[in-house]
Amino acid sequence: MFAFLTGCKEDSSPVSSVVSNSVEDTWVNEGGFEMTFNVNGTVTGSRVDYSNELLTRYGKPAQIWTFNATHILIDGNPAFPYTVNNDTLTLKHIDGEETVLTKK
């Protein structure tokens, strides 16, 4: 039997910068709307509050906003696909327009 051992010194590995694409944070757009992606999977903030305020004003129930790895879900239905790149979160709307938010 043969045993091969290999190793490397600690300084032989290149150092790479860490890119954070975590969505769990508070994001704001240039219009001042805030969205917070909470660790428990819910989305809260002024954008959600505004949407729910309009619904309840017209006798409709408030919606529950959550998220998964690629979409904001409203009442469990995919509503806004999103991508995160460092400090920028981009939401895509049904009409193809995009809203760009940055970490607060």
Side-chain angles (χ1 to χ4, degrees):
M1 294 201 156
F2 293 97
F4 292 96
L5 298 174
T6 61
C8 58
K9 298 188 300 189
E10 287 182 37
D11 62 351
S12 66
S13 299
V15 176
S16 62
S17 61
V18 176
V19 175
S20 174
N21 285 331
S22 175
V23 72
E24 286 126 354
D25 212 324
T26 298
W27 304 84
V28 61
N29 74 0
E30 59 189 30
F33 278 117
E34 283 186 12
M35 298 179 82
T36 300
F37 290 71
N38 300 294
V39 176
N40 68 1
T42 61
V43 180
T44 56
S46 64
R47 174 64 181 105
V48 177
D49 294 343
Y50 177 74
S51 176
N52 281 332
E53 180 183 322
L54 288 176
L55 288 170
T56 57
R57 185 178 296 168
Y58 293 102
K60 307 259 186 204
Q63 298 172 318
I64 298 170
W65 291 49
T66 57
F67 67 96
N68 63 25
T70 60
H71 283 79
I72 292 176
L73 310 166
I74 299 178
D75 290 337
N77 300 305
F80 301 103
Y82 69 85
T83 57
V84 176
N85 188 5
N86 293 323
D87 292 341
T88 303
L89 183 142
T90 305
L91 295 173
K92 195 166 259 187
H93 300 272
I94 196 165
D95 62 4
E97 286 192 44
E98 293 182 340
T99 298
V100 177
L101 300 102
T102 55
K103 281 188 181 181
K104 186 172 180 184

